[in-house]
Amino acid sequence: MKQAPTAPENDRRISRRRHDREIVSLAVPAFGALVAEPLFVMADSAIVGHLGTPQLAGLGIAAPLLTTAVSIFVFLAYATTAAVSRRVGAGDLRAAIRQGMDGIWLALFLGAVVVATVLPSAPWLVGLFGASDTAAPYAVAYLRISALGIPAMLVVLASTGVLRGLQNTRTPLYVAIGGFAANGVLNVGLVYGAGLGIAGSAWGTVIAQFGMAAVYLLVVVRGARRHQASLRPDLAGIRNSAQAGVPLLVRTLSLRAVLMIATAVAARLGDVDIAAHQIILSLWNLMAFALDAIAIAGQAIIGRYLGADDAKGAKQACRRMVEWGVAFGVLLGLLVVAARPLFVPLFTSDHTVQHTLTPALLVVALIQPVAGVVFVLDGVLMGAGDGPYLARAMVVTLVVFAPVALLVPPLGGGLTALWWAMALMMAVRMLTLGRRARSGRWLVTGAMR
């Protein structure tokens, strides 16, 4: 006869269900917003591709520069989410929105600096990529026009952080979908209807980006007025937001250095290896969106628990999210293996590339559970405001990864060996983040860390 569950077991089940509902309610919309953002570049590529090869080549040079210029400031979202969610947990919505406004003002300042830097240096930046004489003018034109939208995109990042901190991931999803739709319509109209060519694609994207920023600002300003929070720039608050973001900037730059080193090593291995590497990297990024959605939920949930002085709740939520990360990692790994015969031919019909791709792809599948733990703990520690430790841990990871990856070509290794180096990188991240999570030093409660 089956025994009835004990009171502690019932408590654990109730706690898990509560955490599951919170994770799902935040992670699912966050995943949709994350997937919608890269569609901007895909839509631009599809529309510009019909103009001609030089135009598409120009876009291929300018787009990564713009993506890098925005992505290195992703701390605007991460740091703002952590700070706002703490104040939400403490029950001070006025201070939460005031903190969010500091992040938005910082975004505007940084956006202006980036624009002032990119506009005059656009030809030099394009030249660094070795653009051909036919592609370079299109790359410069697209880069200069699209750079005008960078302040809007940074405002979007900061505002997204505000709403996530307020436990709202649905609005960013709706804004992302609306922005993608507007971008597509504007691009078609300006590129072909108005005959502006690649410049029309850039202007369409800029207009869509400012439209997204305007919607976010409208939502935040309404919240500020409702809770009587000041909208004026506060230099002390902006300075604090910048200081909180510096460690996360170091973390992001170190992570991008890892990816750049991996790409550079793959390029040295030959055309077949770099082609296969790009396919794997595209798949890796797609799977990262699914895992990052749980991490975003972690940022918002952990910050709220710690702001409410509930260290026990934060610890329980962390444990449950790690379980989610492992489960999704296993699922993604199995999907990679099972669907490999279906999606690989979609990327390439070259049998040599397919042959090179297969063993490296199995390594990627194998390390997905590790990636699940890493992404979740990354989000948990960000939500706790533990940026300095995240920066140190990522620098250590870079120091371990770089020499191992750079030794792959001299030692005669191929793409699979490079991805084993990537697996080592993820293992180091899991060890450093797991050690911090177990220590409990991140469990600092209160409205401010």
Side-chain angles (χ1 to χ4, degrees), residues 90 109 113 127 143 145 163 256 348 358 362 404:
F109 170 74
V113 172
L143 181 59
I145 296 171
L163 296 181
R256 290 200 68 85
T348 179
T358 299
L362 295 177
V404 175

Side-chain angles (χ1 to χ4, degrees), residues 12 62 241 272 313 422 429:
R12 283 194 292 270
S241 295
V272 170
M422 291 287 284
R429 292 189 71 191

Side-chain angles (χ1 to χ4, degrees), residues 5 21 50 67 81 112 165 176 198 205 270 280 302-303 307 311 345 350 370 373 407 424 431 438 447:
R21 286 194 296 269
H50 292 285
T67 301
T81 298
I198 193 171
T205 300
I280 294 176
I302 295 298
D350 189 322
V370 175
V373 175
L407 282 173
L424 172 65
L431 289 173
R438 287 191 301 272

Side-chain angles (χ1 to χ4, degrees), residues 9-361:
E9 288 175 343
N10 273 328
D11 290 343
R12 283 194 292 270
R13 288 181 181 179
I14 293 171
S15 177
R16 284 198 297 269
R17 288 172 184 168
R18 183 179 72 252
H19 292 313
D20 288 346
R21 286 194 296 269
E22 288 180 332
I23 294 167
V24 170
S25 66
L26 292 171
V28 172
F31 174 70
L34 289 169
V35 171
E37 290 173 10
L39 294 179
F40 271 86
V41 176
M42 291 179 63
D44 287 359
S45 299
I47 294 169
V48 172
H50 292 285
L51 293 174
T53 300
Q55 289 89 334
L56 185 58
L59 176 64
I61 294 168
L65 287 169
L66 289 163
T67 301
T68 300
V70 173
S71 64
I72 61 174
F73 296 111
V74 72
F75 69 83
L76 289 167
Y78 294 159
T80 305
T81 298
V84 171
S85 61
R86 272 186 177 268
R87 285 160 177 78
V88 169
D92 192 347
L93 290 178
R94 180 180 180 181
I97 296 175
R98 174 65 261 181
Q99 180 72 39
M101 285 305 305
D102 292 336
I104 291 173
W105 281 111
L106 176 62
L108 287 169
F109 170 74
L110 292 174
V113 172
V114 174
V115 171
T117 303
V118 172
L119 289 181
S121 63
W124 177 76
L125 291 170
V126 169
L128 287 178
F129 279 72
S132 66
D133 292 339
T134 54
Y138 296 111
V140 171
Y142 188 91
L143 181 59
R144 278 180 165 160
I145 296 171
S146 295
L148 299 175
I150 289 177
M153 288 309 295
L154 297 191
V155 167
V156 167
L157 284 176
S159 301
T160 300
V162 176
L163 296 181
R164 288 173 181 170
L166 294 171
Q167 317 296 296
N168 177 2
T169 57
R170 291 184 179 275
T171 299
L173 170 61
Y174 300 147
V175 174
I177 293 173
F180 168 69
N183 180 62
V185 172
L186 286 167
N187 278 8
V188 171
L190 294 175
V191 171
Y192 299 114
L196 296 180
I198 193 171
S201 176
W203 280 117
T205 300
V206 169
I207 294 170
Q209 289 167 343
F210 271 98
M212 292 171 66
V215 172
Y216 273 119
L217 288 175
L218 179 63
V219 172
V220 174
V221 168
R222 281 180 175 176
R225 288 176 175 171
R226 185 163 57 248
H227 296 285
Q228 298 181 330
S230 174
L231 298 174
R232 294 180 179 179
D234 175 46
L235 293 181
I238 294 171
R239 185 169 58 250
N240 290 337
S241 295
Q243 289 173 346
V246 169
L248 295 179
L249 175 61
V250 173
R251 168 204 166 271
T252 300
L253 291 174
S254 300
L255 182 57
R256 290 200 68 85
V258 166
L259 298 176
M260 290 174 63
I261 290 171
T263 300
V265 170
R268 290 177 62 187
L269 294 174
D271 290 348
V272 170
D273 292 87
I274 186 61
H277 177 74
Q278 286 303 112
I279 293 172
I280 294 176
L281 208 55
S282 298
L283 182 64
W284 175 275
N285 290 334
L286 180 61
M287 292 188 293
F289 288 139
L291 299 174
D292 204 28
I294 305 174
I296 287 170
Q299 294 173 30
I301 292 171
I302 295 298
R304 192 188 74 233
Y305 274 115
L306 294 177
D309 292 324
D310 188 356
K312 181 180 178 182
K315 197 170 183 178
Q316 290 174 341
C318 173
R319 186 183 302 113
R320 189 56 177 162
M321 281 183 282
V322 168
E323 292 171 356
W324 273 69
V326 172
F328 266 85
V330 171
L331 177 61
L332 290 172
L334 292 175
L335 285 175
V336 169
V337 174
R340 178 175 49 82
L342 299 175
F343 68 76
V344 169
L346 295 176
F347 285 96
T348 179
S349 58
D350 189 322
H351 293 293
T352 306
V353 175
Q354 291 181 4
H355 178 73
T356 303
L357 185 68
T358 299
L361 206 54

Side-chain angles (χ1 to χ4, degrees), residues 403-421:
V404 175
L406 293 173
L407 282 173
V408 169
L411 295 178
L415 186 65
T416 302
L418 174 60
W419 275 94
W420 275 118

